[in-house]
Amino acid sequence: RANGSALESEVAARVGTEIHRVLEEIDLRADAETEFQRQRERLARRLVGAPAARANALELLDELRHGELLARLRNLEPHIAARELPVLLPPSGAAGPVAYVEGVADLVYRDPNSGEWVIADYKTDALEDGGPDLYRSQGATYAEAVRGAMDLPETPRFELWFLRAGRIVNVDLDALHSRAP
């Protein structure tokens, strides 16, 4: 069973990587159906040698096609500052250039309703009860990096986009700082 778990983790990681790539490369201004088919064909070709990952990724992409998150992404297009933005920060408490924290912010946009800056992180795993708590530290790191890089007066909001569940969850970054050690 251990091999099965390792294989499942490998498949999940590959699916996540490929779906992130689709969401980075998709032309949000193109005809939605034509662009979806183009991305679906590209995804299928990239995963031709990985049948389990291919089936899983194509299934998730089909779910996205009919769900609200892809439509939301398309509607946000004029407000998007970056997709797959590399972030680099010194780790907390580190002095000098001896270490760094590296990551990629999946989506950075300006909320068209509030004007607030937002960082969204795509999650291809299932929505779990503790999901937001699991990613709070990641969100705080990304928010600090984006705030500093863009010289923003306020810390951006952090959202998790659970692609399988079709849900967006706001993560309270202030809760990270208000917890007792």
Side-chain angles (χ1 to χ4, degrees):
R1 190 75 183 154
N3 286 341
S5 295
L7 180 59
E8 289 171 10
S9 293
E10 186 178 313
V11 167
R14 183 77 189 270
V15 167
T17 297
E18 293 298 337
I19 292 295
H20 276 75
R21 185 172 176 183
V22 166
L23 294 173
E24 175 186 13
E25 294 177 352
I26 195 166
D27 183 348
L28 300 172
R29 293 181 184 173
D31 174 73
E33 187 57 30
T34 302
E35 181 60 12
F36 174 81
Q37 289 304 327
R38 186 176 80 87
Q39 290 298 330
R40 194 176 197 290
E41 290 168 10
R42 293 174 78 191
L43 177 64
R45 278 194 307 270
R46 285 194 305 265
L47 292 171
V48 73
R54 183 178 195 225
N56 195 304
L58 289 172
E59 178 184 334
L60 178 53
L61 189 59
D62 288 341
E63 289 173 15
L64 284 171
R65 173 187 184 190
H66 300 293
E68 294 179 22
L69 294 185
L70 190 54
R72 172 131 174 90
L73 184 61
R74 292 182 76 80
N75 289 335
L76 285 173
E77 191 279 329
H79 310 283
I80 294 174
R83 292 192 275 173
E84 298 297 316
L85 177 70
V87 295
L88 190 66
L89 273 177
S92 60
V98 295
Y100 61 90
V101 174
E102 177 184 21
V104 177
D106 296 332
L107 177 66
V108 178
Y109 70 94
R110 192 108 192 222
D111 186 312
N113 298 317
S114 69
E116 185 177 22
W117 284 100
V118 183
I119 301 166
D121 195 63
Y122 307 135
K123 298 299 178 192
T124 55
D125 49 351
L127 175 62
E128 299 173 13
D129 290 338
D133 288 334
L134 297 172
Y135 300 109
R136 187 171 278 124
S137 179
Q138 174 193 9
T141 300
Y142 285 7
E144 182 60 28
V146 169
R147 188 184 64 73
M150 295 176 66
D151 196 28
L152 301 175
E154 301 288 325
T155 301
R157 187 172 78 223
F158 184 64
E159 299 175 337
L160 296 172
W161 287 33
F162 287 95
L163 303 178
R164 290 192 187 279
R167 286 196 43 216
I168 296 173
V169 176
N170 286 306
V171 178
D172 180 10
L173 298 180
D174 291 331
L176 183 69
H177 304 293
S178 63
R179 288 187 177 176

